[in-house]
Amino acid sequence: MALPRYTTTPVDAVLARMRALDSELPERDGVAVFNRVYLTVTEEVDRRLDAGEFPDPCAAAALDVRFAERYLAAVDAVAEDRRPPACWRPLFQLRRHPGVRPLQFALAGINAHIGHDLALAVVDTCQALGCAPAELEDEFDRVGEVLAALEERIREDLMPGPDLLQIADPITHLLGAWSLERARDATWSAARVLWALRRCGDVAEEFTTRLDAAVGFAGRMLLTPLGDCGD
């Protein structure tokens, strides 16, 4: 089916918000660490939209914006002394902990955003465009390819120095305990379930709440303090 026209202006708007956060937040703040990672991802998606690399750029832009808006809504909730979704609470609560390393902050943010926000963003986008999740699968996969392509660079940039890369170092276990590919697969399944439950009221709400809580639990494990690793 032909999807409604969707301009890229909202992508520029969310990029502006993330760039403003990047300039405002202290460099070592855990939210700032994730924000830099996510800003890089969103800029790459925007570049690929401009280059015509998405099968349906209007649908891809719609998904990208609704995805970003869920992260920004969590930031706004904390700024206004409201509780963010459970998936985001560990990152905001531990954002200044000296024993949590930058890579942990990045992974915890990615976990919250992929594990919870992306599933809801797929449903938001389908409702806005009048389509089913299957019609967004190509765009979902292309956004996932961007994340996968950048994940290795993220890990290289935030990895501790060689002196910390010992097999007994707990961070080596954390690196193996979370998988972007598995998270993406689970998210697509969750999005399809939420779409199927969209008219089921309390059942859909319960599923969303439990998804939020489960992702938050995983995030808290990823943010287990490992000791101050210095600069």
Side-chain angles (χ1 to χ4, degrees):
M1 64 176 287
L3 297 177
R5 181 177 178 79
Y6 198 94
T7 70
T8 59
T9 301
V11 179
D12 296 335
V14 296
L15 280 169
R17 284 288 317 275
M18 283 186 265
R19 287 168 182 150
L21 286 169
D22 187 48
S23 65
E24 294 165 6
L25 294 173
E27 183 178 358
R28 291 181 63 106
D29 181 289
V31 177
V33 173
F34 169 73
N35 189 77
R36 286 193 295 273
V37 168
Y38 191 34
L39 175 58
T40 300
V41 170
T42 308
E43 287 174 336
E44 179 63 15
V45 170
D46 190 43
R47 185 195 68 77
R48 295 190 184 197
L49 282 167
D50 290 343
E53 296 183 19
F54 285 91
D56 188 329
C58 298
L63 177 59
D64 189 45
V65 169
R66 282 163 177 78
F67 188 29
E69 284 174 342
R70 289 203 166 261
Y71 157 60
L72 295 171
V75 171
D76 290 342
V78 174
E80 296 166 7
D81 292 324
R82 294 182 287 110
R83 281 165 68 85
C87 62
W88 285 107
R89 287 175 208 157
L91 179 59
F92 283 101
Q93 290 168 353
L94 296 169
R95 63 193 294 178
R96 298 181 180 89
H97 197 297
V100 179
R101 302 178 189 175
L103 181 57
Q104 292 176 262
F105 288 131
L107 290 180
I110 294 170
N111 169 71
H113 205 37
I114 298 293
H116 173 265
D117 292 356
L118 184 53
L120 273 62
V122 169
V123 175
D124 291 343
T125 306
C126 287
Q127 290 173 335
L129 300 181
C131 66
E135 294 171 79
L136 284 181
E137 190 167 6
D138 285 344
E139 285 65 41
F140 179 93
D141 288 343
R142 293 296 179 94
V143 171
E145 288 169 8
V146 173
L147 289 163
L150 292 173
E151 185 186 20
E152 183 176 351
R153 196 178 88 190
I154 290 165
R155 289 179 182 244
E156 288 175 355
D157 289 347
L158 299 179
M159 199 72 173
D163 56 317
L164 290 176
L165 291 181
Q166 304 298 322
I167 190 64
D169 193 301
I171 200 167
T172 62
H173 298 284
L174 283 178
L175 287 173
W178 189 87
S179 162
L180 176 60
E181 183 177 0
R182 289 197 299 269
R184 283 173 51 204
D185 289 345
T187 292
W188 183 246
S189 296
R192 294 179 62 202
V193 170
L194 283 168
W195 184 252
L197 294 175
R198 67 190 182 282
R199 297 187 181 92
C200 295
D202 291 347
V203 177
E205 184 177 350
E206 181 179 351
F207 181 88
T208 302
T209 299
R210 291 184 182 276
L211 175 66
D212 189 19
V215 174
F217 178 78
R220 194 164 294 280
M221 295 301 100
L222 287 169
L223 291 171
T224 300
L226 300 178
D228 190 351
C229 63
D231 294 328

